[in-house]
Amino acid sequence: LIGVAVDQIVARVSYETEARIFQAFQPKQSEPSSEQDGQRLALARAILEKFRADPKVPPLPYSLILVENEMANAFAFPGGVIGLTTGLLEMLTEEIEVAFVIGHELGHFYNRDHLQGLGRAAGFGIMMAVLFDMGSGAESFGNIINFVFQRSYSQEREIEADRFGLELVYDAYA
């Protein structure tokens, strides 16, 4: 029930409103620590600009940030920030691979996954606080239940983001 309510609210939030709300919370970009990281980030930014021309891509003030971390990962942060780890960019050797990752993250913006996830977590947390005394261990119990319910939802969101990313890559590179 919380998920349905959150999805209805998120559907009514414009991209302009999302950008305005999350502008103050944007992660800060640091300078790449090596010339190679700088080149990889420049390539990723060029790909992002290419994708922004596609009418399916939501109109957000996108920015790419590089996160110094050996783990291969990428993320979509509300308001238009796409984070890429140095570990991920080291692993990807072809432009098309980087393009797919960026397309996938744009798919999360298109589907509003980041806002829905935040809303669902907040809504579930409020519900648990109202229903249970959080000092009695209900918080841990609530976290477990939330994890179980969100797991299949999250897998569906990842598949949808993959699909969106593939379409962008196909349209831009085919």
Side-chain angles (χ1 to χ4, degrees), residues 103-119:
H104 172 94
E105 296 307 325
L106 289 170
H108 286 305
F109 288 110
Y110 177 79
N111 294 316
R112 311 307 290 271
D113 296 335
H114 51 295
L115 292 181
Q116 289 171 343
L118 282 173

Side-chain angles (χ1 to χ4, degrees), residues 100-140:
F100 175 73
V101 169
I102 293 170
H104 172 94
E105 296 307 325
L106 289 170
H108 286 305
F109 288 110
Y110 177 79
N111 294 316
R112 311 307 290 271
D113 296 335
H114 51 295
L115 292 181
Q116 289 171 343
L118 282 173
R120 285 169 181 249
F124 190 78
I126 291 168
M127 181 190 76
M128 292 304 290
V130 169
L131 294 176
F132 301 103
D133 173 18
M134 294 315 248
S136 66
E139 185 174 358
S140 296

Side-chain angles (χ1 to χ4, degrees), residues 7-169:
D7 292 352
Q8 293 299 314
I9 293 167
V10 167
R12 290 174 173 77
V13 175
S14 71
Y15 292 111
E16 294 80 18
T17 300
E18 175 187 342
R20 199 170 43 252
I21 290 170
F22 289 98
Q23 182 178 24
F25 302 104
Q26 297 299 312
K28 301 297 181 226
Q29 170 66 45
S30 60
E31 290 300 313
S33 60
S34 71
E35 184 177 332
Q36 191 172 29
D37 283 345
Q39 291 170 347
R40 291 173 176 150
L41 186 59
L43 171 64
R45 286 183 173 145
I47 293 166
L48 176 60
E49 286 309 308
K50 180 187 291 193
F51 285 162
R52 288 180 79 168
D54 191 302
K56 293 184 299 278
V57 173
L60 285 165
Y62 292 104
S63 63
L64 275 171
I65 63 169
L66 187 62
V67 178
E68 292 283 337
N69 191 312
E70 292 179 17
M71 188 177 206
N73 202 2
F75 60 88
F77 188 81
V81 173
I82 297 173
L84 305 171
T85 64
T86 52
L88 176 69
L89 291 181
E90 286 175 20
M91 189 173 82
L92 304 177
T93 59
E94 302 293 328
E95 178 177 341
I96 201 81
E97 296 169 332
V98 178
F100 175 73
V101 169
I102 293 170
H104 172 94
E105 296 307 325
L106 289 170
H108 286 305
F109 288 110
Y110 177 79
N111 294 316
R112 311 307 290 271
D113 296 335
H114 51 295
L115 292 181
Q116 289 171 343
L118 282 173
R120 285 169 181 249
F124 190 78
I126 291 168
M127 181 190 76
M128 292 304 290
V130 169
L131 294 176
F132 301 103
D133 173 18
M134 294 315 248
S136 66
E139 185 174 358
S140 296
F141 175 70
N143 288 338
I144 292 168
I145 291 173
N146 189 38
F147 173 77
V148 170
F149 283 133
Q150 293 299 325
R151 192 166 174 207
S152 66
Y153 173 80
S154 178
Q155 290 171 342
E156 292 170 19
R157 301 290 82 208
E158 292 301 319
I159 290 168
E160 288 301 315
D162 283 347
R163 192 170 289 129
F164 186 88
L166 282 171
E167 287 177 15
L168 278 180
V169 169

